[in-house]
Every structure is written in C-alpha cells, then in structure tokens.
C-alpha cells in the first residue's frame, strides 16, 4: 500500500477513531484501509492532505507543527456520519504511526538533531544523539506507582490478545487496542513500554502489507520484548530504569578529549537518515556523536561530510572520524551520546592511529572476552539479540574468501572463523560492495572495527577496516585516510590492495583458489530452530495455528529432536505451549469457559525467553 503522502498519526487519535465505530463498520475497516492506497493528494492549503472516497466524501488531514496529526480535530470528514465514520478511521489507519520523538519534534531547535523512531526491521538504525540546550538532572527512579502497574496490565492484556490473533487476524481493530494501551502507558510514565508496543504495531502492519525487508523473526522478537517488559512491570520484578525515560538524560561531563574511530550511515525504515561518528575518550570510554533527521537515503549519504554541530567545531563528520575534539562543558548521556548544548565548546585535535592508545586497546582484547561482555550487556539492558545495542569490537583477521552472502575471515593468533556481513544491506551504500572486493584477495590481513551481530554465530558487521601494522600483505590506504576506511562512505579501489598474493592462497594464474566453506554453525546446527518456527507460527497465524502445527504426531516431531540434543527445557516449554494453544474448554452449550489469552501468552513468552537465552549461549560459544 503506497501512502507516502500521509502524515504520521498519534496512536491515541487512531485508537479513538476506531473505538467510535460500530461493530458493523469495524468489520469493514481493514478493507477500507487497503482501499486508501493511491487516494491521498496534497491539498491547496499548506500541509493538508486529502483522501477522496467517492464523489462527495473527502477526508482532510491537517498535521500540526510537528508534522503529525496529534488531535482529533486535525482529521475531518465531509460525510454525514463524521467523526464516527469509516472514511475517517480508514484514512487514519492507513497513515504511519507517529513516534513519541516525532510528536515532540515541533519544538526542537533548528540546529538540534532529531532522534529517529525505532526501526521496523527493514533497516537497522544506529544510535543517534539528541542535542539538548541543558542537561537533564538524573535522579534515582522511584518504585512503580499503582497507575503504572494498571497501565502495564492493560498493555499485557492487549499484547496477549494480539499474539493470540496473530498477523492473520491482527487487523486495525486489534492494532487500535494496542495503540490505546500504548497511549495509557505513555500517560502513566512508561515510555519504554509504549515504544515496545509501537514496534509491535508497526511490525503487524508491515507483515500484513507484506512490505519489503519485513522479517517474521523481528516481529517475534518485538512480541517477546513487549510481553516480557509488561509482565515484569506488573509483577514488580522490573529493575531500576524499566520504565524508561521520555527524554534522554544528559549530565555534565566536564572537559573531554575524544578521538575519532569511524563513522557509519544511519538509515531508518521510518524515513530518517544521517550519520553516527564513533569516538573514544582518553580513558577508553566510548562516545557517539550523531546527526540524524528526516530525509532517508539521500541524507544518510550526504551527512557523512556534513559539519559537526557541536560547540562551534569547524570539523565535518569525515574529519572528526579521523581527528579528535577537546570539549569543554560537555554533556553526555548514560550511553555515551554527546549533547550539543549552548555551553558546549569544542576545539579540533589531531587524530590518533588505530595502533596508538586509546584506540589500540580495542584491538588488544581477545575477541571471545569482548563478545562475552557484549552479550552480558545486551542481556542486562534487555536488548536481547539486537545488534544495534552492542558496542564496537576490534580484531585483526585474515581473509579466507566469500562464503555465500558473507565474507569469511579468520582471527589472527586465535584461529576463530568469523563471518563479516554488511553493516547495512542497502545497495546504494558501499558496505556490500567493499566486502565483495575484499573477498577477492584471500590471504589479506586486515584490522577490522565493527559491531558484533548478537543473533548470529560468530558474525561481525564491520564499520571500518585498516592495515595491520607490520604486515606485508595488507591494505595500502591513502595518507589522508589516516589508516582506516569507513565502509559505509569510502569506496575501496584496486589500488588500495597489494599487487602480489601469497602463493599459499592463490592459484597459479594469481586468482583466488575457489570458494570457501564457513564451517560449523552451532546456532544453525542446533534443533532450536524448531522452537523458533513454532513461535513464529504463532505470531503469523495466532493461537489456532500453533495448536494445528503441534497436534497429534507433530508434537513428537519437534520435541524428540530437542530431547535427543539435550535441550530438555526447550522441549518441555514447547510442549506446554502446544498444549495451552489447544486448550479451549467449553460448556455444555459450546461456549468458551475461559476465553482469555493470558495463559497462552504466558506459555508463549516462557518458550520465547528460554529460546533467546539458549541462542545467546550458542552465539557466545561460537566465538571461542
């Protein structure tokens, strides 16, 4: 469905419009939303969008200063049933869901960067920084209030019903219930739970529209995070920070001396684009400085050479990635993102080579230790297997060759085979092209800096590469690149590689000796894929699909291999899920005795959490 012209809509506006419909109109809502494709046109008055239904019915959306429809009065219809009409609800349902950061963007200063909404899975948005005039004081988070517990309970109920319905039955009415619960969570001061609910709604929409790049596994993970967060809030087991923060808190960091490591393009599935420059402090602390705004691919490509908006610094992001800054009055968030307040002053510094401290420490740490720390941090922060939540990992590797859709390398001195995958799959970004060129030089030794892929066995998404000090068969980069190439912006050429290949890794004619095999994959070889398929079946087809998939002899088909592999816990939880999905007790009149989806959601969540922990353990083992 092509609705690019439609402005984002606040969740509560859409939820209220759907609630006002009669039961008869709700049954027609999904078909009416699909019929909105191509109807949107720009009105004569500034910023308004019109959607025409027939000859005499027009829905007009007038977004506010933030660019989003935030009140019911900004969506009007000319029919006699308005505002409780199908046309108005369909137009709002066809529009994208506005993120909390988008709703507050109307008051952002012109020089401030905007935080991108969460990605739907089609594109991995890298962390970005929001410029703040003043740091927000950080206070100890109090215990949850009764209102927050009630909001979390409502969110659990809505998520459980959506999971029970699945993508097949998760239409606009089910999504509206989730949006209403998400709005209640925002009002109660639970922005993290609200964001998780919005990710699920966007995932349901993408799955129903069969959008390009949509992965059922991403929606499965989104359901797991939403349900796990909601049940932790309701039970009181949530730790400090579980509620999240509506604004990123910035503290005074005093004077900082930071050096550039690399830069990476940011491209969000929700239309945001820009750049994130990764920095390292003199004490080894990681920092990021970002410039992310609406603009998509064009802005992601151009922002790599845009000026740095920090304390009057004269550097651009390309210069900062190979240079440094001395920052006075710095403001820093808890996750290392630099703010650009009015009191911040920055002076350019000479950059450091990757072989110099403090950057050299990134490559001196054994990779298995760095991965263990990354996985532990992901589990503690609740990011699960989200690669965007992992820190940077550096290592020296030897190129083995192309293996399928990735580049296979071997860690020097450790011998661990690692798969290098593009940090961003978009064909107009040079990530994939650079890796394909590197694959034609087997035996080449590289220094790689990238983000570990926490949901794949021994996989790294490289952001930059450079020559290995003292190696003869390594990269020959231009002097102005200062010993590193940003794979998302710099395009490697044949002149950047040595001319003669080692005899042991080349054929007599000088070409590569042939394709290589990736070797064993403990994550793919384990029968845990059967559990993931069962969970994804539930997300796609709902509770009934799980019951049908595990009925009769099919139950033994996925539990027996799990028990044989020693995964008794996974087998037991999967069997309990199948039994709960098929448990539909009825009275003598055929009516459901317990229509609630609570028990099914708990069984699904238990199996999903166990699967995530088991997969994380196998990923950690693959790096040893």
């Amino acid at each position: 469905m092509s609705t690019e012209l439609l402005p984002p809509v606040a969740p509560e506006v859409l939820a209220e419009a759907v609630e006002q419909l009669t039961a008869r109109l709700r049954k027609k809502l999904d078909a009416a939303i699909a019929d909105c494709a191509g109807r949107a046109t720009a009105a004569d008055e500034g910023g308004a969008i019109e959607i025409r239904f027939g000859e005499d019915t027009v829905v007009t959306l007038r977004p506010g200063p933030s660019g989003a429809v935030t009140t019911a009065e900004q969506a009007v219809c000319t029919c006699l049933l308005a505002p409780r009409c199908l046309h108005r609800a369909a137009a709002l349902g066809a529009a994208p869901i506005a993120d909390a950061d988008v709703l507050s963007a109307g008051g952002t200063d012109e020089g401030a960067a905007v935080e991108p909404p969460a990605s739907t899975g089609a594109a991995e948005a890298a962390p970005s920084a929001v410029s703040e005039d003043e740091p927000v004081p950080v206070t100890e988070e109090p215990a949850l209030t009764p209102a927050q517990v009630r909001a979390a309970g409502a969110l659990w109920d809505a998520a459980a019903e959506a999971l029970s319905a699945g993508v097949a039955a998760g239409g606009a009415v089910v999504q509206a219930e989730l949006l209403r619960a998400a709005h209640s969570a925002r009002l109660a001061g639970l922005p993290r739970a609200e964001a998780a609910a919005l990710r699920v709604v966007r995932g349901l929409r993408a799955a129903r529209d069969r959008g390009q790049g949509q992965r059922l596994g991403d929606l499965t993970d989104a359901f797991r995070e939403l349900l796990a967060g909601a049940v932790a809030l309701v039970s009181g087991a949530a730790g400090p920070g579980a509620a999240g923060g509506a604004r990123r808190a910035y503290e005074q960091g005093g004077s900082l001396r930071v050096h550039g490591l690399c830069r990476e393009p940011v491209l969000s599935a929700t239309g945001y684009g820009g750049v994130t420059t990764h920095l390292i402090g003199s004490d080894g602390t990681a920092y990021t400085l970002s410039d992310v705004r609406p603009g998509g691919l064009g802005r992601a490509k151009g922002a790599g050479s845009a000026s740095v908006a920090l304390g009057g610094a004269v550097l651009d992001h390309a210069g900062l990635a190979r240079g440094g800054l001395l920052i006075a009055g710095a403001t820093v968030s808890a996750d290392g993102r630099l703010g650009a307040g009015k009191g911040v002053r920055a002076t350019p510094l000479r950059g450091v080579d990757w072989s110099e401290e403090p950057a050299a420490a990134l490559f001196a740490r054994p990779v298995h230790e760095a991965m263990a720390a990354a996985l532990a941090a992901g589990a503690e922060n609740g990011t699960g297997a989200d690669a965007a939540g992992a820190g940077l990992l550096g290592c020296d590797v030897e190129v083995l060759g192309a293996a399928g859709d990735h580049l296979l390398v071997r860690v020097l001195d450790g011998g661990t085979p690692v798969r290098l995958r593009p940090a961003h799959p978009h064909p107009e970004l040079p990530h994939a092209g650079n890796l394909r060129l590197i694959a034609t030089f087997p035996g080449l030794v590289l220094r790689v800096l990238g983000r570990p892929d926490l949901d794949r066995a021994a996989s790294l998404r490289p952001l930059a590469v450079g020559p290995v000090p003292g190696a003869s068969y390594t990269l020959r980069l231009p002097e102005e690149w200062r010993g590193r190439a940003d794979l998302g912006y710099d395009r490697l050429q044949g002149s950047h590689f040595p001319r003669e290949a080692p005899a042991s890794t080349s054929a007599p004619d000088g070409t590569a000796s042939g394709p290589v095999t990736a070797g064993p994959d403990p994550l793919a070889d384990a029968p845990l894929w059967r559990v993931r398929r069962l969970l994804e079946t539930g997300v796609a087809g709902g509770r009934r699909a799980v019951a049908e998939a595990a009925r009769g002899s099919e139950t033994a088909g996925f539990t027996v291999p799990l028990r044989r592999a020693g995964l008794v816990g996974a087998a037991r939880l999967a069997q309990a899920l199948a039994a709960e999905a098929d448990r539909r007790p009825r009275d003598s009149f055929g009516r459901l005795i317990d229509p609630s989806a609570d028990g099914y959601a708990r069984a699904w969540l238990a199996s999903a959490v166990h699967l995530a922990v088991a997969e994380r353990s196998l990923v950690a083992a693959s790096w040893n």
Side-chain angles (χ1 to χ4, degrees):
M1 182 170 61
S2 177
T3 54
E4 289 84 357
L5 285 177
L6 295 178
V9 173
E12 63 272 18
V13 176
L14 173 57
E16 182 182 6
V18 174
E19 187 181 20
Q20 291 177 342
L21 297 178
T22 63
R24 180 179 63 86
L25 292 180
R26 289 188 182 187
K27 296 179 180 179
K28 300 180 179 181
L29 182 56
D30 289 327
I33 290 176
D35 198 37
C36 285
R39 293 177 178 267
T41 58
D44 295 336
E45 44 188 305
I49 301 297
E50 293 182 349
I51 302 95
R52 185 171 294 276
F53 295 85
E55 297 182 358
D56 55 354
T57 301
V58 179
V59 177
T60 304
L61 304 179
R62 297 184 177 87
S66 64
V69 176
T70 57
T71 63
E73 292 74 19
Q74 293 173 342
V76 296
C77 180
T78 58
C79 76
L80 297 178
L81 293 179
R84 301 181 178 182
C85 63
L86 181 64
H87 314 110
R88 180 172 173 271
L92 292 173
I97 301 298
D99 192 85
D101 297 305
V102 175
L103 299 178
S104 61
T108 304
D109 294 339
E110 185 177 354
V114 180
E115 178 75 5
S119 172
T120 61
E124 293 178 4
S128 61
V130 178
S131 301
E132 302 287 346
D133 290 339
E134 297 294 339
V136 180
V138 179
T139 57
E140 185 177 352
E141 187 167 342
L144 295 180
T145 64
Q148 289 177 319
V149 174
R150 287 194 299 271
L155 196 57
W156 165 269
D157 293 337
E161 293 295 336
L163 178 66
S164 180
V167 172
V173 176
V174 172
Q175 296 170 24
E177 292 300 322
L178 267 174
L179 293 176
R180 176 170 293 281
H183 178 58
S184 299
R186 185 204 302 178
L187 295 180
L190 299 173
R192 179 172 297 176
E194 178 207 8
L198 295 185
R199 283 195 296 272
V200 169
V201 172
R202 293 189 181 105
L204 285 172
R205 286 188 167 197
R208 290 177 63 85
D209 294 341
R210 298 179 181 178
Q212 292 184 351
Q214 189 275 334
R215 294 177 62 245
L216 188 59
D218 294 332
L219 181 56
T220 303
D221 294 339
F223 263 113
R224 187 194 73 237
E225 293 174 7
L226 173 59
L227 290 169
V231 75
L233 292 171
V234 172
S235 65
R247 289 180 69 194
R248 180 172 294 110
Y250 283 79
E251 293 182 297
Q252 291 289 354
S255 295
L256 291 178
R257 184 183 294 266
V258 295
H259 302 280
L261 292 173
C262 64
R263 57 192 165 136
E264 67 170 315
V266 176
L267 183 58
S268 168
T270 51
Y272 282 73
V275 62
T276 289
T277 299
H278 296 270
L279 309 160
I280 188 169
S282 300
D283 57 352
T285 304
Y287 298 97
T288 56
L289 181 63
S290 301
D291 182 6
V292 180
R293 302 173 188 273
L297 177 64
R299 192 169 197 289
K301 296 168 68 175
S305 57
S307 299
V308 174
L310 181 67
V314 296
L315 288 175
D316 57 17
H317 280 272
L320 178 58
R322 295 179 170 93
L325 287 175
L326 177 62
I327 308 174
T331 56
V332 187
S333 69
D335 54 358
R337 309 187 193 199
L338 297 176
K342 294 180 180 178
V344 178
R345 296 293 179 265
T347 305
L349 294 176
R350 181 190 71 86
V352 298
D353 191 83
W354 281 357
S355 59
E356 304 175 42
E357 293 295 344
L362 291 172
F363 304 92
R365 190 178 189 183
V367 291
H368 65 276
E369 293 183 8
M371 271 306 301
L375 289 167
E380 181 179 354
N381 297 333
T383 57
D386 183 10
L392 297 185
L393 182 149
C395 57
D396 295 341
V397 301
E398 177 188 358
V399 176
L400 300 180
D405 59 348
H406 56 269
L407 171 63
L408 188 65
V409 300
R410 178 180 62 85
V411 178
L412 295 181
D413 300 328
T416 303
V418 177
R419 300 161 180 83
L420 300 185
R421 304 178 185 273
H424 200 292
H426 199 286
E428 294 193 36
L429 295 176
H431 289 288
N434 284 330
L435 290 184
R436 284 194 298 267
L437 181 58
I438 294 174
T440 61
F441 291 86
L444 185 76
V445 292
L446 297 171
R447 179 156 282 188
V448 179
L449 184 65
R451 181 177 292 109
D453 195 338
L454 303 185
D455 60 354
R456 296 178 185 268
S459 295
L460 187 67
R461 298 191 180 271
L463 303 179
V465 296
V468 175
S472 58
Y473 191 61
T474 187
L475 289 175
R476 306 283 191 266
L477 299 180
E479 184 178 353
E480 59 270 19
W481 285 14
R482 297 195 61 84
R484 70 202 70 169
D486 296 329
L487 296 180
Y489 288 103
D490 301 323
R491 292 188 181 271
L492 295 174
Q493 307 294 333
S495 59
H496 299 152
F497 294 85
R499 296 182 180 179
E500 288 129 7
S504 59
T505 56
S506 61
D509 58 357
T511 60
S513 58
V516 296
T517 57
D521 185 340
L523 188 59
D525 296 341
L528 286 173
W529 62 268
R530 301 174 185 273
V531 180
R532 176 165 286 277
R533 186 173 67 178
L534 182 65
L535 296 174
E536 291 180 355
T537 297
V539 171
R543 178 174 185 167
R544 181 177 300 177
V546 174
E548 292 293 336
R551 187 163 292 166
S553 61
E554 295 295 327
T555 303
F558 66 83
T559 57
V560 171
L562 291 171
R563 295 182 184 277
R564 287 176 178 173
L567 301 171
V568 179
R572 184 172 62 251
L573 291 173
Q575 195 168 9
L577 170 62
E580 182 62 33
D582 203 25
R583 189 185 66 83
R584 306 285 280 178
R586 299 179 181 272
D587 60 15
S588 57
F589 296 99
R591 296 172 299 191
L592 286 174
I593 299 176
D594 182 17
S596 172
D598 185 79
Y600 169 74
R602 290 183 181 275
W604 186 95
L605 178 60
S607 187
V609 171
H610 183 277
L611 174 66
V613 175
E615 289 181 336
R616 189 181 302 123
S617 299
L618 291 176
V619 169
S622 69
W623 285 87
N624 293 326

